[in-house]
Amino acid sequence: MTSQENETNGPGFYTSYQRRLGLISKNFSVLNRCLHGVERECLRVTSEGSLARTPHPYTLGSALAHDQITTDYSESLLEFITAPQADPTRVLENLDEIQRFVYSKLDDEFLWSSSMPCVLPADEDIPIAAYGASNIGRLKHVYRKGLAVRYGRSMQCIAGIHYNFSLPEELWPLLREAEAGAGSIRDFQSSAYLALIRNFHRYSWLLMYLFGASPALDKDFLGNRPHQLKELDPETLYLPYATSLRMSDLGYQSSAQAHIKVDYNSFASYIEAIRAAVCTPYPPYIETGTRNKGEWVQLSTSILQIENEYYSRIRPKRATSAGERPLQALMARGVQYVEVRCLDINPFLPLGIDVEEALFLDTFLLFCALQESPLLSNEENDQCTSNFQSVVTEGRRPGLELRRGGQPIALKSWANELIEHLAPLVELLDRARGGNEYTEALVAQQAKVNDAALTPSAQVLTSMAEHNETFVQFGLRQSYLHAGTLRGRPLNPIRQQAFEDLARESQKKQSLLEREDSEGFDLFVEKYHALMRN
């Protein structure tokens, strides 16, 4: 065991956490000013459970210019983006309204209920999202063409929940003073978010156990790819104790990205690792080139075409200005919030997430921010990755052991320990919010630790068995149920009109962008890349 691992797990490990809790207890009302946001991806499907290959509905607005309703990889893969708000309940109410509006425009199509895809056509027949004739719209489309070249289209049809979270701005000066931090508030804040991310990597296996909801998938999804899955029925593959096959090596994977060594031990190291990946050519991509017979096929031949191509469980983020790249925004103004990207869609919930999950995520992320966060050694980083992969593939296996400080520890014992340390934070959150909703959310997660049958991944397999369903049949049944729920509560005329207005305004914005473009696309792309070289 290394000295760092001893420090990480020794008796003094929680001392700074207790000290920071004490500080916040004197200012607990500040916790009401954390900000939250949700980005929910989901496929449009036909009534038979196949991918809907129709264009993005015009009546939903411009996928390029709409702030809340867009597309991700495919024309068929919708993405709903809530406005950041202090109350997670209001965030989910916003998501609920978005989905109810969308259903008012979908006619005979449905929103797919699960993270793993429905029945997909041949890879080349999955429609890539289009964003119009503006330079920025074309750039987004070519980027997605590049993803198809690099990873295939089917993999890009996997959907998830992204949870955005930031600590209150008023909290940073208090923490900096208590920690006698040097440098600017901006630098302290960025370093603190990187510390949160390091702890997230240590403990995010717990989220996979509690909220993983993809233990099975349609057999055709893997095609001829090698795998270790078992056959549940002639059309379904699964692992009996899996929590999230979406987050296993069957989901997002890339041999090129294996060359990226992201360092979360310092803000500067993180920035440099991503910048290098965007600027470093990769031989197989060089061989492909950026054009084929004069037509753009990918934005660059680098390991990453753009920063957001890097697949990670969590990202440090900063809102961007027009024409600004994500890495530029981080370098200029520091980390503003984190984006949690490893959450499955819960197929039993109309929104894919509920308030109980959001409240627990708040607690978990605050714990990661306040807990002592030693630098990650290569050995501990490998251990974190191994723990995470063990839980996504066999997290419900009785007696499963993980590794902590190089030593085995039962998942159940470690989970109980973490929940115990969340309890005093939950008390502060309930005091700030008024009521006991955070406590109830924690109790619900404790019940899952005590009984794995209560986890979403176990409930998926149980429901499929009870109804004698394939994975696709299960997903379609849940999609029908949620469509009935959402369509059964149409928006009131005022809110419906507000969304109609947003859709029309987004179409006007796209038209304006297309009219204002005054330079060729090739030059536009060159200037875009130059932003990372300067």
Side-chain angles (χ1 to χ4, degrees):
M1 186 183 298
T2 68
S3 59
Q4 180 171 299
E5 287 168 340
N6 273 315
E7 179 186 350
T8 302
N9 299 287
F13 187 39
Y14 295 100
T15 302
S16 60
Y17 174 59
Q18 297 296 338
R19 185 177 67 252
R20 291 166 186 163
L21 280 178
L23 171 67
I24 293 176
S25 68
K26 300 173 185 176
N27 305 272
F28 67 88
S29 63
V30 75
L31 295 176
N32 280 329
R33 293 189 282 280
C34 294
L35 289 179
H36 319 75
V38 170
E39 301 166 26
R40 191 243 166 120
E41 304 161 341
C42 57
L43 293 169
R44 288 187 292 111
V45 301
T46 68
S47 58
E48 292 80 33
S50 297
L51 188 73
R53 287 186 270 173
T54 51
H56 180 67
Y58 181 81
T59 51
L60 293 180
S62 162
L64 175 67
H66 201 300
D67 290 333
Q68 294 204 293
I69 302 171
T70 184
T71 51
D72 190 83
Y73 171 75
S74 171
E75 280 288 277
S76 313
L77 183 55
L78 289 166
E79 183 174 3
F80 310 135
I81 304 168
T82 70
Q85 299 189 62
D87 186 346
T89 301
R90 296 282 180 263
V91 171
L92 295 187
E93 287 174 353
N94 184 203
L95 181 60
D96 177 71
E97 283 193 333
I98 294 169
Q99 294 192 185
R100 287 155 65 195
F101 173 71
V102 168
Y103 260 120
S104 75
K105 305 297 183 183
L106 282 192
D107 299 326
D108 57 351
E109 293 178 353
F110 295 83
L111 302 178
W112 187 242
S113 62
S114 297
S115 279
M116 297 308 292
C118 59
V119 176
L120 297 176
D123 206 65
E124 63 272 15
D125 292 330
I126 296 172
I128 297 174
Y131 298 95
S134 69
N135 280 332
I136 188 64
R138 290 183 64 191
L139 184 139
K140 289 168 71 73
H141 179 68
V142 172
Y143 165 62
R144 284 156 175 77
K145 291 177 70 174
L147 295 178
V149 168
R150 295 167 176 226
Y151 316 107
R153 301 187 187 189
S154 297
M155 192 183 84
Q156 303 299 319
C157 291
I158 299 172
I161 297 278
H162 297 174
Y163 194 78
N164 299 322
F165 177 83
S166 67
L167 278 74
E169 293 296 321
E170 304 93 320
L171 191 57
W172 297 114
L174 295 175
L175 290 174
R176 180 173 175 269
E177 182 179 354
E179 302 297 323
S184 67
I185 288 291
R186 188 195 75 179
D187 291 343
F188 178 81
Q189 178 174 323
S190 294
S191 294
Y193 274 122
L194 266 290
L196 182 162
I197 290 171
R198 290 195 298 274
N199 277 337
F200 187 90
H201 281 283
R202 291 181 171 105
Y203 308 129
S204 54
W205 57 264
L206 180 61
L207 298 182
M208 294 296 93
Y209 175 85
L210 296 173
F211 302 113
S214 54
L217 49 82
D218 182 48
K219 195 173 188 177
D220 288 341
F221 173 74
L222 291 179
N224 295 320
R225 287 169 55 190
H227 61 82
Q228 301 297 319
L229 303 186
K230 301 178 183 298
E231 187 177 280
L232 184 61
D233 59 60
E235 298 178 27
T236 304
L237 297 173
Y238 85 122
L239 286 176
Y241 300 118
T243 62
S244 178
L245 294 179
R246 166 180 171 263
M247 293 305 298
S248 73
D249 59 6
L250 296 173
Y252 299 113
Q253 60 176 338
S254 162
S255 57
Q257 293 201 21
H259 291 76
I260 305 173
K261 302 301 181 185
V262 172
D263 184 352
Y264 294 105
N265 287 334
S266 78
F267 182 58
S269 297
Y270 172 81
I271 292 291
E272 178 53 30
I274 300 299
R275 191 204 64 79
V278 171
C279 297
T280 302
Y282 184 60
Y285 301 157
I286 295 173
E287 185 176 345
T288 300
T290 57
R291 296 171 181 81
N292 182 11
K293 298 179 181 178
E295 181 180 345
W296 282 86
V297 294
Q298 58 180 346
L299 283 178
S300 78
T301 59
S302 295
I303 296 172
L304 300 178
Q305 298 174 91
I306 64 174
E307 302 91 306
N308 287 348
E309 188 177 340
Y310 179 61
Y311 297 130
S312 56
R313 291 173 240 162
I314 186 171
R315 284 179 183 162
K317 297 292 289 284
R318 162 65 66 173
T320 57
S321 304
E324 186 178 41
R325 293 186 63 148
L327 212 59
Q328 281 183 293
L330 281 175
M331 290 187 291
R333 299 184 297 283
V335 183
Q336 182 181 20
Y337 64 98
V338 292
E339 177 191 35
V340 175
R341 301 169 48 80
C342 60
L343 299 169
D344 283 350
I345 296 167
N346 187 325
F348 298 103
L349 301 173
L351 305 182
I353 184 174
D354 60 10
V355 174
E356 179 185 281
E357 182 174 348
L359 295 177
F360 182 82
L361 289 170
D362 286 356
T363 308
F364 180 83
L365 291 167
L366 276 169
F367 172 76
C368 288
L370 300 175
Q371 169 67 299
E372 186 70 26
S373 183
L375 302 183
L376 279 170
S377 65
N378 291 335
E379 294 79 10
E380 189 183 8
N381 192 56
D382 291 344
Q383 183 177 262
C384 292
T385 300
S386 177
N387 286 341
F388 189 87
Q389 288 301 316
S390 292
V391 175
V392 301
T393 57
E394 55 175 355
R396 289 179 287 104
R397 180 166 64 80
L400 177 66
E401 290 186 335
L402 306 179
R403 305 286 292 183
R404 184 174 71 177
Q407 301 298 314
I409 180 171
L411 178 150
K412 195 167 185 177
S413 297
W414 197 356
N416 281 326
E417 179 184 308
L418 287 172
I419 287 178
E420 178 183 348
H421 287 292
L422 294 177
L425 184 52
V426 159
E427 293 176 9
L428 289 178
L429 287 163
D430 274 337
R431 284 173 63 193
R433 185 176 173 86
N436 63 348
E437 289 180 282
Y438 281 98
T439 297
E440 291 173 353
L442 188 65
V443 168
Q445 307 321 309
Q446 179 69 72
K448 294 179 190 175
V449 173
N450 295 341
D451 183 1
L454 298 177
T455 60
S457 56
Q459 291 179 332
V460 167
L461 296 179
T462 298
S463 183
M464 290 172 61
E466 288 176 349
H467 292 85
N468 192 28
E469 293 171 319
T470 66
F471 166 73
V472 170
Q473 289 170 336
F474 164 78
L476 190 58
R477 176 168 60 85
Q478 294 302 123
S479 299
Y480 281 164
L481 286 172
H482 300 332
T485 298
L486 294 164
R487 283 177 166 149
R489 294 186 298 110
L491 294 173
N492 67 52
I494 294 175
R495 293 303 298 152
Q496 181 74 19
Q497 188 59 52
F499 277 103
E500 301 277 3
D501 293 343
L502 286 173
R504 280 193 294 272
E505 186 61 31
S506 70
Q507 290 155 355
K508 292 177 182 177
K509 288 180 183 177
Q510 177 174 326
S511 295
L512 182 61
L513 284 170
E514 292 172 348
R515 290 197 304 270
E516 288 182 340
D517 272 347
S518 60
E519 62 185 6
F521 182 63
D522 290 7
L523 179 59
F524 179 82
V525 173
E526 175 56 33
K527 287 182 177 180
Y528 186 80
H529 289 321
L531 295 173
M532 283 294 93
R533 295 194 293 265
N534 295 336

